[in-house]
Structures are given as C-alpha cells and as structure tokens.
C-alpha cells in the first residue's frame, strides 16, 4: 500500500516492503517523468531475487506526492533531491541503502553517494547524466513534440493527474533553457566511496558513453552497455538487468 510521509517540502508518497531487516533496502529513484507505478514489478522482482527490502517513492511534483513547492527549477534541483532523499531515509530509519536510480534518479543516486558517503552502501545507475549533451537536448525536444502532438500527455496523466503539465514543463523548460547547457555534476563523482554499477542502453537516446566514461574516470565503478536497449533498460531488457543487478547486490552481501 502506498503511504505518505511529511518532509520539508510537503507530503511524499512511498511504498515500502520489509522482507529481511538484516539485509539492505533497495531504494528506487524514478526518472524525470516517472513515479512509483511506472516501475511496474521490477522493484519486487529484484527484491525477491536478492531478498532485500524495498523503498520506492514519488518525488515532489510526481505521481501521488505533493505539488512542486517552487515555480522554477534552479540548476541545483538534483542536489536538493539528494538532500530530500537523505531526509526520507532518516525519517524511515533506513540505514545503508542500495540506490537504484534511473535517468534523473541515477544522477540523484550519484549525488547522494557523494554528499552522504557514510550513509549509502552502493548505487546502481541507469542512464544517469553528469552533464548536458546534444543528444540529450534532441531527445527532450522529441519528447516535447510527442507531448504536444501525440498522446504522451494523455499517457502521463494516468500516473500524474493534475500535476502532469507542471511536471512536464519543469523537465523540458529546465533542460532546454540555454542557461542549463553548462550544468555539470562531475565535481561530485570523486567523493563517492561506495561500489557503483553503471548501466546504459546501447541506443540510449538521451546520452552517450561519455557519461559512463566520466564516472569510470573518477571511481572504481563497473559499467555495462545494455545490448538492444535505449533509455529504459529495466523495461526493455528486464531479464538482463535483473541478472546483472542481482549479481552486483549478491557480491555486496559477501563483503
């Protein structure tokens, strides 16, 4: 059952399942258009495979959480989300989680591990961004066209309801703004101390392998290019992602 908890920004919706209190909690961080429901059964499948606990939540402005508390995103909005994640973990008394972050969620996972190195046990990123590329801009422009001219808006409204317009504008207007082109979080990466598994689709339409190379340059991360996948490998190649992420998590249990 989805519950709500009050954070400094307002009520945040979350789903939690405790399978084994002795094992870590897998915390799932959704992408720029995502929410709890859009993860579908992937969190449960991975938790069952690894016997870990689950926490999945909707960030402010998404799904069943509160509306945005701001009218315009600043460049540090993902850093602030890392702080809110830490606040949520403290409120729910979750210690040493393993973060699984997709897209924006992957960037938040990296930032959280850098800002709170004593807190995070490990991170898995999928299509994370450290900086803006031309392919990123093109991918967002294509999504904007689909939202305006096709049925993307209607699809998103099933999950985000009345928040859909503000959520979509927050994403597109931030990333397509000329002042955002120099956004970059590479300076945080060397501060990460925990193990990292980096995943990216072979045909990711929002980022190139330069994103992965930047993480590898500054950490001891393990990286995998996911064959025949675009920006959402856990949906496009679920068996492969389950296998690889479960192996990574099971290795952590041994140390």
């Amino acid at each position: 059952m989805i519950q709500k908890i009050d954070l400094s920004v307002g009520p945040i919706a979350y789903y939690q399942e405790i399978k084994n209190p002795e094992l870590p909690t897998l915390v799932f961080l959704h992408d720029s258009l995502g929410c709890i429901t859009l993860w579908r059964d992937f969190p449960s499948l991975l938790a069952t495979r690894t016997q870990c606990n689950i926490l999945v939540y909707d960030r402010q402005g998404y799904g069943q959480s509160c509306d945005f508390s701001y009218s315009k995103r600043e460049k540090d909005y993902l850093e602030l989300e890392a702080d809110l994640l830490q606040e949520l973990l403290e409120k729910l008394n979750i210690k040493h989680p393993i973060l699984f972050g997709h897209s924006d969620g992957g960037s938040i996972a990296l930032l959280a591990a850098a800002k709170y190195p004593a807190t995070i046990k490990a991170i898995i990123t999928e299509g994370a961004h450290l900086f803006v590329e031309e392919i990123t801009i093109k991918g967002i422009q294509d999504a904007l066209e689909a939202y305006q001219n096709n049925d993307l808006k209607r699809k998103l409204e099933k999950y985000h309801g009345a928040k859909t317009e503000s959520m979509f504008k927050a994403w597109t207007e931030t990333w397509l703004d000329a002042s955002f082109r120099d956004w970059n979080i590479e300076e945080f990466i060397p501060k990460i101390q925990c193990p990292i598994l980096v995943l990216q689709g072979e045909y990711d339409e929002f980022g190139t392998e330069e994103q992965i190379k930047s993480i590898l340059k500054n950490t001891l991360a393990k990286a995998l290019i996911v064959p025949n996948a675009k920006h959402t490998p856990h949906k496009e190649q679920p068996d492969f992602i389950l296998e690889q992420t479960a192996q990574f998590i099971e290795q952590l249990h041994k140390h």
Side-chain angles (χ1 to χ4, degrees), residues 114-238:
K115 296 184 79 169
Y116 304 98
T119 300
I120 308 302
K121 182 178 180 68
I123 57 176
I124 300 166
T125 70
E126 186 183 52
H129 290 95
L130 281 69
F131 46 84
V132 183
E133 298 181 276
E134 287 305 316
I135 191 174
T136 317
I137 301 303
K138 171 71 165 57
I140 295 170
Q141 287 171 335
D142 289 346
L144 179 58
E145 185 178 336
Y147 185 84
Q148 292 171 337
N149 301 318
N150 297 331
D151 62 349
L152 179 57
K153 181 177 181 180
R154 181 183 58 80
K155 287 179 178 177
L156 291 171
E157 283 174 340
K158 289 193 322 192
Y159 303 101
H160 304 285
K163 292 190 282 289
T164 302
E165 185 73 13
S166 59
M167 176 208 68
F168 196 82
K169 283 181 69 175
W171 177 50
T172 54
E173 290 184 0
T174 300
W175 282 78
L176 296 179
D177 192 301
S179 67
F180 198 74
R181 291 295 178 101
D182 63 354
W183 172 82
N184 191 304
I185 59 169
E186 289 178 291
E187 66 184 280
F188 288 92
I189 305 306
K191 300 173 185 174
I192 298 174
Q193 299 173 14
C194 66
I196 311 172
L197 174 62
V198 182
L199 304 168
Q200 185 157 322
E202 180 182 12
Y203 305 116
D204 192 327
E205 66 272 42
F206 291 98
T208 71
E209 290 182 30
E210 293 304 311
Q211 306 283 344
I212 291 179
K213 289 176 183 175
S214 180
I215 300 173
L216 293 177
K217 184 172 65 178
N218 291 295
T219 67
L220 296 175
K222 177 185 178 183
L224 287 173
I225 298 294
V226 183
N228 300 314
K230 296 169 80 174
H231 193 57
T232 317
H234 69 274
K235 290 182 180 176
E236 299 162 287
Q237 296 292 346

Side-chain angles (χ1 to χ4, degrees), residues 42 49 197 199-200 224-227 229 233-234 236-247:
F42 182 79
R49 178 79 178 264
L197 174 62
L199 304 168
Q200 185 157 322
L224 287 173
I225 298 294
V226 183
H234 69 274
E236 299 162 287
Q237 296 292 346
D239 292 341
F240 180 84
I241 297 300
L242 277 171
E243 179 68 29
Q244 296 298 323
T245 52
Q247 284 182 16

Side-chain angles (χ1 to χ4, degrees), residues 19-191:
K19 288 177 174 288
N20 185 340
E22 302 301 313
L23 288 176
T25 296
L26 306 177
V27 179
F28 292 85
L29 307 168
H30 63 73
D31 62 309
S32 51
L33 301 178
C35 62
I36 295 170
T37 314
L38 280 166
W39 281 105
R40 298 175 187 164
D41 62 350
F42 182 79
S44 293
L45 290 172
L46 184 57
T48 298
R49 178 79 178 264
T50 59
Q51 291 304 298
C52 286
N53 310 299
I54 309 174
L55 172 65
V56 197
Y57 71 100
D58 291 338
R59 295 196 296 277
Q60 174 190 195
Y62 292 84
Q64 298 182 50
S65 285
C66 59
D67 292 335
F68 288 123
S69 59
Y70 49 80
S71 56
K72 184 180 185 301
R73 276 180 172 168
E74 302 298 332
K75 270 190 185 175
D76 64 350
Y77 82 97
L78 292 170
E79 295 171 49
L80 297 178
E81 289 293 350
D83 297 336
L84 285 169
L85 168 60
Q86 177 67 11
E87 185 184 341
L88 178 62
L89 295 174
E90 289 175 359
K91 282 232 174 180
L92 295 175
N93 197 30
I94 293 172
K95 302 184 188 306
H96 310 301
I98 299 169
L99 308 182
F100 188 117
H102 174 224
S103 194
D104 263 17
S107 304
I108 294 166
L110 292 166
L111 287 163
K115 296 184 79 169
Y116 304 98
T119 300
I120 308 302
K121 182 178 180 68
I123 57 176
I124 300 166
T125 70
E126 186 183 52
H129 290 95
L130 281 69
F131 46 84
V132 183
E133 298 181 276
E134 287 305 316
I135 191 174
T136 317
I137 301 303
K138 171 71 165 57
I140 295 170
Q141 287 171 335
D142 289 346
L144 179 58
E145 185 178 336
Y147 185 84
Q148 292 171 337
N149 301 318
N150 297 331
D151 62 349
L152 179 57
K153 181 177 181 180
R154 181 183 58 80
K155 287 179 178 177
L156 291 171
E157 283 174 340
K158 289 193 322 192
Y159 303 101
H160 304 285
K163 292 190 282 289
T164 302
E165 185 73 13
S166 59
M167 176 208 68
F168 196 82
K169 283 181 69 175
W171 177 50
T172 54
E173 290 184 0
T174 300
W175 282 78
L176 296 179
D177 192 301
S179 67
F180 198 74
R181 291 295 178 101
D182 63 354
W183 172 82
N184 191 304
I185 59 169
E186 289 178 291
E187 66 184 280
F188 288 92
I189 305 306
K191 300 173 185 174

